[in-house]
Amino acid sequence: MPPTLISRAPGQEPRRTPAPTAPPSPSTWLVRMVSELPDTDDGNHVYLGVHVRGTVTVGRERAGTLLEPNDLVFCAPARRHLLRFGEDGRMIFFRVPRCYLGVAEPELDRVLGVPVRGGEGIGALASCFLTALAANAESRRPPIGDRHARTAVHLLSVLVVELLEAETADTAEHADGASGAGDEILARVHAHIEEHLTDPDLSPESIARAHHISVRYLQKLFQNDGSTVSRWIRQRRLASCRFELGRSTRRTTMAAMAHRWGFSSPSHFSRTFRGAYGMSPSAWQALATSAFAPMTAHTQDERPR
């Protein structure tokens, strides 16, 4: 029997033991709709719940947030207690390999249980897209097709980054009482960095000159935000490289990639990429592009029944 896409509140009906989840491989898809949050965590996936109707509360640090229809929340079986279902509570769950979301494990764990409003910003885009996928599930059984999976992963990776940035900003504001002027300058600096990521001469000195501030003050702004200038530039460049490698169906040389995104050499780019994501750029490109390949008969045989 195919899994239902709208899950009942945990514990309110007999549960089936979920089949073991295999790690991501070239023969599996990026995003899969599942019947409900499983009991056990394989460590390779994170789950995104989309609220459909009824009473569902997300509890974090003794506080509870009542979800509204189309709201989203990242969750994991180990923290299933964060979701509190009423009798009529319904959610749709999507399983996503952690390695495709572009952040380190500790950072991804920080967004678990953080409610996201589905009526504004990137949350609205993600909620609308995923809800539409679920609505057409009868004609498009999971696993979801390659283009839809690609779009879903990109939306969710952006959503994760926004959640982390919002958390960092809140922490800095409460811990340091950062001034509005400092926040405004930092926002302009972030925009400047995004605009000049491909410039190999981008540096704390060039950024400070462009904004008529000292390097020391610039470093303090990033320190208050929980980072450093160099680390931020490196993370944004790596994220851009990872995005480009994952969306391209054509092989890209590491020399061309390193040159385009401001790395000093192909070897430096490869070492930095491996340190951030645990695999080489070429291995990531092979994994990402093969995940979007058409479904084989073998993959079809592995569908839930």
Side-chain angles (χ1 to χ4, degrees):
M1 176 182 295
T4 116
L5 297 178
I6 300 179
S7 65
R8 184 173 295 276
Q12 295 185 3
E13 66 179 12
R15 300 171 57 89
R16 297 178 181 273
T17 302
T21 303
S25 71
S27 64
T28 59
W29 296 83
L30 294 182
V31 179
R32 183 189 294 270
M33 286 178 282
V34 296
S35 59
E36 59 185 12
L37 195 63
D39 290 320
T40 57
D41 193 345
D42 61 12
N44 295 313
H45 297 90
V46 68
Y47 295 80
L48 180 75
V50 182
H51 183 225
V52 177
R53 67 175 184 269
T55 303
V56 180
T57 302
V58 179
R60 274 175 65 92
E61 300 176 357
R62 299 183 180 179
T65 300
L66 186 64
L67 296 182
E68 299 177 357
N70 301 320
D71 285 353
L72 310 139
V73 60
F74 284 100
C75 45
R79 301 190 190 183
R80 62 184 307 112
H81 62 279
L82 296 177
L83 293 177
R84 305 165 190 164
F85 286 77
E87 179 66 29
D88 57 346
R90 298 292 185 274
M91 296 187 75
I92 305 169
F93 289 101
F94 294 83
R95 189 185 72 191
V96 187
R98 287 173 173 257
C99 65
Y100 285 97
L101 293 177
V103 297
E105 292 294 321
E107 292 179 316
L108 185 54
D109 287 340
R110 279 161 48 195
V111 308
L112 297 180
V114 178
V116 180
R117 292 306 178 192
E120 58 188 33
I122 189 65
L125 292 175
S127 178
C128 181
F129 183 78
L130 293 173
T131 300
L133 287 177
N136 293 299
E138 289 302 318
S139 60
R140 191 185 299 116
R141 294 286 185 184
I144 300 170
D146 58 343
R147 293 184 180 178
H148 300 98
R150 186 192 301 269
T151 301
V153 166
H154 291 335
L155 281 174
L156 296 184
S157 63
V158 172
L159 180 59
V160 168
V161 171
E162 285 205 351
L163 288 174
L164 291 172
E165 289 180 352
E167 182 198 46
T168 301
D170 289 343
T171 301
E173 181 178 354
H174 287 90
D176 305 298
S179 67
D183 291 341
E184 184 178 347
I185 293 174
L186 186 59
R188 292 203 304 267
V189 167
H190 284 169
H192 177 89
I193 290 173
E194 291 296 319
E195 185 178 352
H196 295 84
L197 274 178
T198 57
D199 182 357
D201 295 325
L202 184 66
S203 66
E205 291 74 19
S206 69
I207 296 170
R209 283 197 304 269
H211 293 83
H212 309 289
I213 58 178
S214 68
V215 173
R216 182 176 181 180
Y217 180 61
L218 176 67
Q219 297 284 17
K220 181 173 177 58
L221 289 175
F222 275 83
Q223 182 179 359
N224 290 338
D225 203 41
S227 185
T228 67
V229 183
S230 298
R231 185 189 308 161
W232 181 271
I233 294 173
R234 183 173 62 251
Q235 289 175 341
R236 297 308 303 144
R237 281 176 168 167
L238 286 172
S240 297
C241 292
R242 181 179 173 278
F243 179 84
E244 184 173 332
L245 287 167
R247 73 177 181 175
S248 176
T249 56
R250 300 176 59 186
R251 293 291 177 179
T252 303
T253 67
M254 296 308 106
M257 185 67 64
H259 177 74
R260 180 157 58 252
W261 290 101
F263 288 91
S264 59
S265 67
S267 59
H268 174 237
F269 166 58
S270 295
R271 287 195 305 272
T272 307
F273 192 98
R274 183 185 293 275
Y277 300 120
M279 64 179 70
S280 68
S282 56
W284 160 254
Q285 186 176 38
L287 178 63
T289 53
S290 63
F292 299 131
M295 187 187 305
T296 63
H298 174 70
T299 306
Q300 293 180 3
D301 291 340
E302 293 178 347
R303 288 184 176 187
R305 299 185 183 275

